[in-house]
Amino acid sequence: MNLLPLAFFNKKKIEDKLGKPLRLLTQRSRSRQHNISLLSVGAFAATALFGSPKHLVLLQRFLTCGLIGLTISDRYASIVPVRGASMSPTFNPQARNFTDDYVLVEKFCLKKYEFSHGDVVVFCSPSNHKEKHIKRIIALPGDWIGTTHNSHDDVLKVPKGHCWVEGDNSASSMDSRSFGPIPLGLVKGRVTHVVWPPQRIGGPINSWVGRSGAMASNNDNGSVNGDMNMQLSHHMEPRIDDEPQILHPGPLDESLLTRQ
Amino acid sequence: MVGLIGRLWNLQYKSIVKEASGKTLAVAKFFCVLHVTNTYLCTFALAYGPSMIPTFNLTGDMFLAERLSIKFGKVGPGDIVLLRSPESPRKVMVKRLLGLESHSVTYVVDPMNSDRCDTIVVPKGHVWVEGDNIYNSRDSRQFGPVPYSLLEGKVFCKIWPPKEFGSLMKSGMKDPDL
């Protein structure tokens, strides 16, 4: 629309002709000016706080990376340090006291909550909701577990929806032998690889150390087949120590054989 | 001539790639914001079943639950909470919190058949939950106190059906004479 001819009219005449729409237009542009002024004030304050627009962009990038990192570590995988020696020799073997092992924890298992015997998992402690522990799943719902309680042997069935977890280093490990079976809902991830220190960067950690604890290091070149053979032989050997035994024969052996 | 066309094609290709990656990043950012809000701030849920009658209907009510109270430990007896079921980890259920750790909880063991009451002290790190409809509810009376980490959210507002919209009362529905 060509506004030039309108300029020759009086303002009053223009207002009479166009009436309300023109008034609305001028009002809207006034509020847009308010918005723009507010934005500029905000930008000025932000730059005053953070020093320069460059810093603002940096902060924005930092926030974006933080959000994306948080989402990935919640839904897909994260890297956590292992503290303590309750999972020796799988993690933190005694020789290294200065640096912790860092492991990769995957969260895809939380979609279906399907775990197998021998999985190393991260779970929230049942006695303190702020702590997380890393232990190995020994028994799944419906399995029978043999344990020593108050110096007498006991057999109990893992209830529905729960699992029995134990540390590989039975001598110094607070696990299900003290607090009983834990609900599977407490599990927050499954450990798959060791990522630090570099000389222990290892393949999948799902081979089972075995209760006697005399397993060779299960990282890098030990093939899965080789590990399983070792485990089976450990399982069949006559036990000479007084570590408690697991009393479920059939299902456990089959799961070791078929898991590849 | 061929070199010129090649250079023009590269230029166009680069701008397409740049635009595509920019859009992908925007979508990823939106998804991340959604996830963070859902996991750390507030979520909504639909619950059905008879265990929380009359607070919630049998056919299904939608409500909002916030996550911050659980993270900071600001829940107390009388709150309606979302928790992961200790019997099947893929299910999330809605119950009323009746006791925190070291509280002494008295409950009716089997209200359909008898009036026998039992008292239990909730162990450390656990909570006691019960449904409002104790005649038809599977809760701590059957599976015992649940670890605090299984709690997922605190319900604060019902949003469907619309005529029952509003914040939920904190008080428990138990008969004080019991």
Side-chain angles (χ1 to χ4, degrees):
Chain A
M1 185 171 126
N2 196 359
L3 290 171
L4 210 52
L6 283 177
F8 290 107
F9 289 92
N10 270 345
K11 187 165 183 265
K12 192 159 187 320
K13 268 193 190 168
I14 293 173
E15 275 179 352
D16 287 340
K17 270 193 192 297
L18 296 176
K20 204 159 175 243
L22 185 61
R23 247 172 280 145
L24 272 176
L25 263 175
T26 48
Q27 273 169 10
R28 209 174 292 143
S29 70
R30 233 177 281 140
S31 66
R32 203 175 297 140
Q33 282 169 4
H34 279 304
N35 284 346
I36 290 174
S37 61
L38 270 171
L39 266 173
S40 61
V41 165
F44 181 71
T47 50
L49 274 174
F50 298 114
S52 76
K54 198 168 65 171
H55 287 183
L56 205 61
V57 166
L58 215 64
L59 180 78
Q60 195 188 12
R61 291 241 171 93
F62 182 69
L63 269 173
T64 310
C65 288
L67 273 177
I68 295 184
L70 192 63
T71 307
I72 292 181
S73 83
D74 276 348
R75 296 183 80 105
Y76 304 123
S78 64
I79 297 188
V80 297
V82 179
R83 303 240 150 81
S86 64
M87 284 293 285
S88 297
T90 317
F91 307 130
N92 287 351
Q94 286 301 93
R96 190 166 299 99
N97 287 333
F98 302 113
T99 55
D100 294 327
D101 282 3
Y102 283 76
V103 294
L104 184 73
V105 178
E106 61 101 356
K107 320 267 177 164
F108 296 104
C109 57
L110 301 182
K111 304 263 185 324
K112 294 235 176 106
Y113 282 99
E114 277 167 0
F115 298 99
S116 355
H117 296 93
D119 279 348
V120 180
V121 290
V122 176
F123 59 94
C124 289
S125 163
S127 32
N128 184 355
H129 67 103
K130 297 193 178 116
E131 287 173 0
K132 291 212 175 101
H133 296 316
I134 299 186
K135 302 275 181 269
R136 197 181 289 271
I137 291 186
I138 302 290
L140 290 174
D143 292 343
W144 290 88
I145 187 97
T147 179
T148 309
H149 189 69
N150 291 343
S151 76
H152 62 262
D153 286 334
D154 206 2
V155 169
L156 65 101
K157 184 170 179 179
V158 177
K160 179 169 163 234
H162 288 61
C163 61
W164 187 271
V165 291
E166 280 193 23
D168 288 347
N169 186 5
S170 316
S172 74
S173 162
M174 276 278 293
D175 46 32
S176 285
R177 290 170 301 163
S178 357
F179 46 67
I182 60 163
L184 278 169
L186 287 181
V187 173
K188 299 290 176 212
R190 171 165 57 193
V191 175
T192 47
H193 297 72
V194 179
V195 297
W196 188 266
Q199 59 267 30
R200 300 195 63 231
I201 287 183
I205 311 220
N206 55 5
S207 54
W208 189 15
V209 174
R211 294 284 205 106
S212 57
M215 178 80 168
S217 70
N218 55 352
N219 51 1
D220 55 18
N221 52 7
S223 71
V224 181
N225 272 333
D227 286 346
M228 283 198 198
N229 285 339
M230 285 188 72
Q231 286 158 40
L232 284 176
S233 64
H234 269 270
H235 194 72
M236 307 295 197
E237 272 172 8
R239 306 195 61 90
I240 51 172
D241 51 0
D242 54 357
E243 286 284 311
Q245 278 192 358
I246 293 185
L247 294 182
H248 47 282
L252 186 61
D253 287 345
E254 272 146 28
S255 77
L256 280 177
L257 283 167
T258 55
R259 187 164 21 103
Q260 281 295 333
Chain B
M1 181 65 180
V2 175
L4 185 68
I5 291 177
R7 259 177 285 149
L8 276 174
W9 170 249
N10 275 346
L11 211 68
Q12 204 179 17
Y13 183 62
K14 268 187 199 145
S15 70
I16 288 176
V17 165
K18 199 166 173 182
E19 194 180 330
S21 64
K23 293 252 159 65
T24 313
L25 192 66
V27 166
K29 266 196 281 191
F30 175 69
F31 176 68
C32 292
V33 167
L34 220 60
H35 166 84
V36 167
T37 312
N38 192 42
T39 314
Y40 294 102
L41 290 176
C42 179
T43 182
F44 70 93
L46 174 69
Y48 57 90
S51 65
M52 286 293 284
I53 290 174
T55 317
F56 294 135
N57 295 329
L58 178 67
T59 42
D61 282 351
M62 205 178 290
F63 45 83
L64 287 173
E66 50 106 356
R67 309 242 193 216
L68 289 171
S69 312
I70 307 276
K71 291 252 182 314
F72 292 120
K74 297 256 183 288
V75 283
D79 289 336
I80 305 181
V81 291
L82 241 61
L83 68 143
R84 201 160 278 279
S85 163
E87 294 177 319
S88 41
R90 295 174 73 177
K91 288 206 191 123
V92 178
M93 47 189 201
V94 186
K95 299 279 179 244
R96 198 177 287 270
L97 192 85
L98 287 189
L100 294 171
E101 65 182 12
S102 74
H103 284 190
S104 177
V105 174
T106 307
Y107 61 98
V108 184
V109 178
D110 192 7
M112 291 281 250
N113 299 329
S114 78
D115 273 339
R116 184 170 74 93
C117 283
D118 213 355
T119 307
I120 186 174
V121 175
V122 181
K124 179 170 182 300
H126 289 64
V127 297
W128 187 270
V129 293
E130 276 187 36
D132 284 348
N133 182 13
I134 54 173
Y135 296 94
N136 195 354
S137 159
R138 199 159 167 82
D139 45 33
S140 286
R141 292 170 300 150
Q142 278 84 34
F143 47 67
V146 304
Y148 186 93
S149 310
L150 285 183
L151 294 182
E152 301 231 325
K154 179 170 107 167
V155 176
F156 66 94
C157 179
K158 200 199 279 203
I159 58 178
W160 189 269
K163 53 172 126 42
E164 291 178 38
F165 184 95
S167 64
L168 293 157
M169 286 294 113
K170 185 179 155 71
S171 64
M173 306 299 287
K174 277 186 129 29
D175 190 13
D177 297 337
L178 203 65

